[in-house]
Structure formats: C-alpha cells, structure tokens
Amino acid sequence: MEPFEFYNLSDAWTAEDTANLTTVEANDTLPEYLRFNDNSLIVVLVYSALFVVAAVGNLSVFISLFKSRRRKSRISLMIRHLTIADLMVTFIMIPLE
C-alpha cells in the first residue's frame, strides 16, 4: 500500500448521494432545556440590558474619579476599587453567563 492514495472526488460523492441525505431537526435531538425558545430570548435581552447599564454606569464613575485627581480621600479610593471590581464582573462574568 502506498503512503498516499489519491481519490477522484467526483466518484466519491455524487449529487444523488446529496439528495438522499436527510436532515435531522434540532428539536428532535436536543432536550428541552437546550433549545432556544422565548424564555431564552428574554434571558438574553435581560443580560444585554444589564451589561449595557453596568458598563455605562461604572465607566462614567471611573472616568469621573480618574479625572478629579485632586481628591485623594479613602472613600474615593474605595469607590474606585469598587468600580474596577464591578467592571471586571461586567466584562468577564456577564458575557460568560
């Protein structure tokens, strides 16, 4: 046997073979909890809204604290760290959900 065998692709697969293929419906093979339905759409919309609100709100707080460097209080530092932590949750955890 030769290490490389060459096949004629026109002989391997014909249009008749393609016509004989049957498609399997996704609803027949997937369990109910894996199907995309109206509840899935609602969940996607809610997570998208939460993502946008959290990103805009926390970015605006972070930018305002970053621009006003004259305030070096402990409260300002705490809010800056909370904003960074919330941005990490927003950009890492929400998309993974």
Side-chain angles (χ1 to χ4, degrees):
M1 184 171 173
E2 295 180 26
F4 297 104
E5 294 183 19
F6 295 100
Y7 295 102
N8 186 352
L9 293 178
S10 63
D11 292 340
W13 196 262
T14 63
E16 191 174 293
D17 294 329
T18 306
N20 291 333
L21 288 177
T22 59
T23 58
V24 177
E25 292 292 326
N27 291 336
D28 293 339
T29 59
L30 292 176
E32 181 66 31
Y33 67 91
L34 290 178
R35 296 181 196 165
F36 192 81
N37 52 24
D38 291 338
N39 292 336
S40 302
L41 181 64
I42 292 170
V43 168
V44 168
L45 291 176
V46 167
Y47 274 122
S48 298
L50 284 173
F51 180 82
V52 169
V53 169
V56 169
N58 285 306
L59 282 173
S60 63
V61 169
F62 183 74
I63 290 171
S64 68
L65 287 173
F66 190 73
K67 283 185 176 183
S68 63
R69 290 201 171 238
R70 59 183 171 85
R71 286 186 270 158
K72 301 269 186 183
S73 68
R74 292 180 188 151
I75 299 296
S76 176
L77 182 65
M78 183 191 72
I79 292 174
R80 185 176 296 145
H81 285 160
L82 285 173
T83 304
I84 291 170
D86 202 19
L87 284 170
M88 288 171 58
V89 168
T90 299
F91 290 118
I92 296 171
M93 296 308 296
I94 290 179
L96 293 177
E97 192 65 32

